[in-house]
Amino acid sequence: MGERYFAWDDISDGLILSSVTKAEDEQAKGRKKQTADTPTSSEIYCPHGYLILSYQEMLNDSEKMKFRKHYLRKVMPNEPDVIILQDIKDLVLFLLVTPVSPQFINFLHLPIVDRFLRALIVYFQHYVEIWEDLMQERAATMRKAPNPLARGHRSQYAEDMRTLRCVLGREYVDLILGCQSGSQYHHVMTTKKRTSVTQSQGEKDLRIFEALISVAHRVVWIALQRKYYTLIELELHRLLRTEAYNTAQRQSGSRVIQDMLEDDIRILHGREAMKQTLKSRLLKNSPLSHELVYSDCDYRLLLLGIVDLDAHDPKIIYLKNALLIKEEMLSQLGIRVGILGHNRSDYDIMLAPNETEEPAESMEISPLDSKIMETRRSVPLDKLSEQIQKIKRLPSRKFEYEAIEDFPVKEMSTEKHDKIREEARRRWIRREIKRRHRKLFDTYSMATTLE
């Protein structure tokens, strides 16, 4: 490196630094070239940019009044005013700015899709809780040496996540195959001669799949009180797209999973996910279907909601009630599925918890609350607290007690929810048709969304 000194420049009328080395000149030129080569947002080519759905984060007063008047679910005086899954879907669809096709509205209001969304809420509720515990354990072990003999609960965590993946995988495969009044994707619509019934509709399937991922992410995020937005998105994309095509990971750049210990990742994702390589990216099943096909899933998990099994395993009964029972019964059984089953009066129109206020002395008690209080009074406090502690998470097999006493397994009718779902479907289809007339669509979009 040569000698450097300051000199006076008569042209610029100031001091200059002389004898700059050649390496520094090249480095400065490289920085200028890198800045010039950086493309702007308008220059980036995104062929499937129309599949990205945009949402409003907040609503003004006029929009809240419009939502309350036209789209908020009306409750009869003799019905419990609790949050159901349709309430969350209504809010997500109202916040959706990007127009969607009426075919997707019909698809979103199928009973099998509701079961899939509810299974997602149950899965991510336990996923987030276990992730929090693992992070707390890691922070604690950084201050002291870990005890390898005191990690029996970690195997229980891994077993719980494997069970939930089997249940969620069954719902996802039913969704793809068109089971239980669902519509089949074009690649499974074949006749006896193995010839396709319809022409290739990859664009239509792509629209439904991408919109389902986006809407499901919002539904789960709102159901879990708007916590861990990125963590939920990363895991949802991994389950449905595989790790190789996890677009959420590339877009967010988050290292919340990569920075975890390998043993912790194995607990959350399973051993099979750790064994998969990225060599064959095309001919590879998603982690959900892979878990269902290649792991030893309990057959009772695969029959939930299909056959009325007289099961006495607390884990099977817990999952059956968490997935199938009506939302107003969840609080009576002490089962927590996000905000489902909570009183709507405790939340605002955006389904955000109201600010805690001191209760007034002359507060009126609703019939549902009085019924719940009577039910709780009929059970001793020590037994009630024991039940709630047991069902806070998936019960393990070591608990032996009469399942019917703690978890009623009576089949619930879904006629009312079918009626609510049908009314909501018609409302949102009318809204999308109105938006279609107001906005100008490109011909390619119209040709692929209309049947």
Side-chain angles (χ1 to χ4, degrees):
M1 185 174 180
E3 184 180 357
R4 306 172 67 178
Y5 57 90
F6 288 97
W8 184 265
D9 187 11
D10 294 333
I11 299 177
S12 61
D13 195 16
L15 292 175
I16 61 172
L17 183 61
S18 301
S19 184
V20 180
T21 60
K22 183 178 180 181
E24 292 178 349
D25 283 339
E26 294 179 354
Q27 186 177 3
K29 292 179 181 179
R31 286 196 298 266
K32 293 180 180 179
K33 183 178 180 181
Q34 184 178 3
T35 305
D37 294 341
T38 303
T40 60
S41 58
S42 60
E43 296 175 352
I44 298 176
Y45 175 67
C46 184
H48 295 292
Y50 57 89
L51 297 175
I52 301 176
L53 303 184
S54 302
Y55 299 88
Q56 290 180 275
E57 299 298 336
M58 298 296 295
L59 296 177
N60 54 34
D61 294 338
S62 61
E63 291 172 338
K64 290 180 180 179
M65 292 177 60
K66 180 180 179 181
F67 177 71
R68 183 179 288 107
K69 180 179 180 181
H70 299 287
Y71 301 103
L72 187 64
R73 179 175 60 92
K74 305 301 186 293
V75 180
M76 300 299 293
N78 58 346
E79 295 179 353
D81 190 10
V82 297
I83 299 175
I84 65 175
L85 182 60
Q86 187 61 47
D87 296 335
I88 304 179
K89 292 198 301 182
D90 290 341
L91 178 61
V92 172
L93 290 177
F94 188 79
L95 295 175
L96 182 61
V97 178
T98 308
V100 292
S101 64
Q103 286 74 28
F104 176 73
I105 299 296
N106 290 328
F107 176 79
L108 187 63
H109 288 83
L110 292 175
I112 181 61
V113 177
D114 280 4
R115 286 186 50 178
F116 173 70
L117 293 176
R118 191 155 166 176
L120 274 178
I121 296 174
V122 175
Y123 174 83
F124 278 103
Q125 177 176 275
H126 291 80
Y127 181 88
V128 168
E129 290 178 352
I130 293 177
W131 179 83
E132 289 177 345
D133 290 349
L134 294 178
M135 292 299 100
Q136 293 176 2
E137 287 184 8
R138 183 180 179 183
T141 54
M142 291 177 66
R143 297 189 295 267
K144 60 181 181 179
N147 184 6
L149 300 179
R151 294 194 172 188
H153 63 284
R154 298 174 71 88
S155 60
Q156 182 63 37
Y157 286 168
E159 177 64 22
D160 291 345
M161 294 308 302
R162 190 183 72 85
T163 300
L164 292 172
R165 281 193 300 270
C166 289
V167 175
L168 183 59
R170 204 292 304 272
E171 302 294 342
Y172 179 63
V173 171
D174 283 355
L175 197 64
I176 294 178
L177 297 179
C179 301
Q180 303 179 22
S181 70
S183 57
Q184 292 182 334
Y185 283 85
H186 78 279
H187 51 269
V188 295
M189 297 174 62
T190 56
T191 59
K192 296 180 180 180
K193 297 181 180 180
R194 298 294 181 182
T195 58
S196 178
V197 176
T198 60
Q199 298 294 328
S200 178
Q201 298 180 0
E203 181 68 25
K204 180 180 177 181
D205 285 359
L206 180 63
R207 285 176 177 270
I208 293 178
F209 181 76
E210 294 293 337
L212 177 64
I213 292 180
S214 179
V215 172
H217 173 220
R218 286 278 170 167
V219 169
V220 174
W221 179 57
I222 293 176
L224 298 183
Q225 298 184 351
R226 291 177 169 85
K227 297 179 181 178
Y228 301 107
Y229 180 90
T230 304
L231 181 64
I232 294 173
E233 186 181 24
L234 293 177
E235 177 63 10
L236 180 62
H237 281 240
R238 186 193 71 85
L239 291 174
L240 301 182
R241 298 183 188 273
T242 71
E243 192 65 42
Y245 297 98
N246 193 335
T247 56
Q249 177 64 51
R250 293 194 292 270
Q251 292 175 358
S252 64
S254 174
R255 297 190 58 84
V256 64
I257 300 298
Q258 285 82 350
D259 294 340
M260 294 177 60
L261 300 177
E262 184 177 349
D263 189 28
D264 295 344
I265 298 177
R266 187 179 295 108
I267 291 175
L268 292 175
H269 296 172
R271 296 183 180 273
E272 295 295 332
M274 300 295 293
K275 294 179 182 179
Q276 293 184 8
T277 60
L278 300 179
K279 294 182 179 179
S280 59
R281 298 188 177 186
L282 293 178
L283 302 178
K284 186 170 67 173
N285 295 329
S286 65
L288 281 182
S289 57
H290 186 275
E291 187 85 22
L292 192 66
V293 174
Y294 295 101
S295 64
D296 297 330
C297 296
D298 193 337
Y299 74 96
R300 294 172 297 179
L301 297 175
L302 306 181
L303 295 177
L304 288 176
I306 300 177
V307 179
D308 186 14
L309 292 174
D310 187 15
H312 297 281
D313 190 344
K315 182 180 293 186
I316 303 297
I317 300 174
Y318 167 82
L319 289 173
K320 182 179 180 181
N321 288 326
L323 295 174
L324 303 177
I325 204 171
K326 287 184 178 181
E327 287 85 348
E328 54 264 26
M329 299 294 295
L330 291 173
S331 60
Q332 299 183 22
L333 295 178
I335 298 177
R336 184 166 57 90
V337 184
I339 63 174
L340 299 183
H342 293 191
N343 292 327
R344 287 206 297 185
S345 58
D346 298 335
Y347 294 81
D348 59 12
I349 196 170
M350 295 287 292
L351 294 182
N354 294 326
E355 296 181 358
T356 57
E357 299 179 356
E358 295 183 359
E361 296 181 357
S362 61
M363 180 181 295
E364 297 182 358
I365 301 177
S366 62
L368 177 62
D369 294 337
S370 61
K371 184 177 180 180
I372 295 175
M373 293 176 62
E374 291 177 0
T375 305
R376 292 184 175 180
R377 289 195 189 100
S378 62
V379 182
L381 292 178
D382 54 348
K383 187 175 181 180
L384 179 63
S385 60
E386 182 182 357
Q387 293 177 7
I388 295 177
Q389 184 178 4
K390 287 181 180 179
I391 62 180
K392 184 178 179 181
R393 283 193 178 150
L394 286 177
S396 59
R397 298 180 183 274
K398 64 181 180 180
F399 297 121
E400 295 181 359
Y401 49 84
E402 287 294 331
I404 298 180
E405 294 181 2
D406 296 337
F407 303 94
V409 293
K410 183 180 179 181
E411 290 291 335
M412 299 294 177
S413 175
T414 59
E415 294 180 358
K416 186 187 71 170
H417 283 53
D418 290 341
K419 183 179 179 181
I420 293 174
R421 192 185 301 112
E422 179 63 22
E423 293 176 354
R425 184 187 68 85
R426 294 178 180 178
R427 287 198 305 267
W428 293 113
I429 286 181
R430 287 195 297 266
R431 186 206 186 202
E432 292 301 326
I433 292 176
K434 291 180 181 179
R435 292 208 298 184
R436 187 182 297 272
H437 288 298
R438 287 197 303 264
K439 293 188 177 182
L440 181 62
F441 279 70
D442 57 287
T443 56
Y444 181 74
S445 176
M446 290 287 291
T448 53
T449 55
L450 293 177
E451 289 182 345

